Amino acid sequence: GKIAFQAENDADQVVEYFSIRTYISDETDGTEDGHMQIVGVTNGADKKRLDLTPTEAVFNDDSLDIDFRVESDGNANMLKVDAGNNRVAIGSASPESVLHVEEGTSPKITVRSTDGTSASIKLQRVNENDASTDFELKNDGGILKIIADNSSQNERPIVNFETTQVVFNETQVDMNFRIESNLRADFFSL
């Protein structure tokens, strides 16, 4: 089925500016599926703004430079997808990176493990040969760990911040420890 919203343009031509289109994806008894699209005219051509299939909801399936924004009670940009710059913002109208999180006072991001084990944030760099270098900030049973990992070595904790001590190089790998001063690169070295 189809519901069409039409009006005349400045050349007195009837144009279908928006439509709601529905389709039967599967008419089999007991497994019926429907499909709905909201289509709008952009620069003289029909473009899918919302496509609801049996398996997903897609906004901007035709890849237009149309931003997506969700407001909350106190923030006009609680969630924003900047289509033209391929960026996502939480709390910001103008994301400066692929993911930009902004809050006025004491911003915080929570990563929570519900099984009581550990939670972490990983920074990963992959080169053209798929070799990766990872750095991970991990809460491992109440111990904050900074972990390094790359393709040639397994995961190794560099620094563990425990409640009563700070431990460097807990796994005793061949790794140097160095403190720099403003005059010397090797002010203190182990």
Side-chain angles (χ1 to χ4, degrees):
K2 179 178 177 180
I3 300 172
F5 300 89
Q6 299 176 335
E8 290 185 357
N9 64 13
D10 62 358
D12 294 327
Q13 298 168 324
V14 176
V15 175
E16 187 177 294
Y17 284 94
F18 262 94
S19 65
I20 300 172
R21 303 171 184 183
T22 59
Y23 309 93
I24 297 171
S25 297
D26 182 356
E27 71 280 352
T28 307
D29 183 37
T31 61
E32 298 89 352
D33 289 320
H35 181 183
M36 184 175 85
Q37 296 175 337
I38 296 178
V39 177
V41 171
T42 303
N43 292 321
D46 282 353
K47 299 293 180 179
K48 287 184 279 184
R49 301 293 186 93
L50 176 60
D51 194 3
L52 302 170
T53 74
T55 58
E56 63 182 349
V58 180
F59 293 89
N60 196 21
D61 197 26
D62 287 329
S63 301
L64 301 172
D65 187 2
I66 297 174
D67 295 344
F68 175 80
R69 187 172 56 88
V70 177
E71 291 191 22
S72 68
D73 186 37
N75 192 328
N77 295 289
M78 194 67 242
L79 176 65
K80 180 175 181 180
V81 176
D82 182 336
N85 293 309
N86 298 315
R87 296 177 177 174
V88 175
I90 298 172
S92 173
S94 304
E96 298 173 5
S97 57
V98 173
L99 177 61
H100 179 124
V101 179
E102 186 172 308
E103 186 176 7
T105 330
S106 303
K108 176 172 69 172
I109 297 172
T110 301
V111 178
R112 177 176 292 150
S113 168
T114 59
D115 67 0
T117 55
S118 65
S120 62
I121 297 173
K122 185 177 276 193
L123 305 173
Q124 186 175 60
R125 180 191 64 82
V126 178
N127 68 17
E128 64 278 356
N129 299 318
D130 281 337
S132 68
T133 302
D134 304 339
F135 285 97
E136 188 173 356
L137 186 60
K138 184 176 189 178
N139 177 345
D140 192 6
I143 299 171
L144 179 63
K145 295 182 176 184
I146 298 175
I147 298 170
D149 186 5
N150 64 33
S151 298
S152 62
Q153 297 177 339
N154 292 325
E155 182 178 289
R156 60 194 194 283
I158 296 176
V159 182
N160 292 352
F161 296 92
E162 302 179 23
T163 55
T164 58
Q165 63 185 344
V166 176
V167 179
F168 292 89
N169 195 17
E170 180 183 48
T171 55
Q172 302 172 4
V173 296
D174 185 12
M175 177 172 50
N176 295 329
F177 176 80
R178 183 168 50 93
I179 298 175
E180 294 186 11
S181 71
N182 61 344
L183 300 175
R184 293 182 54 189
D186 58 351
F187 179 73
F188 180 78
S189 181
L190 293 175

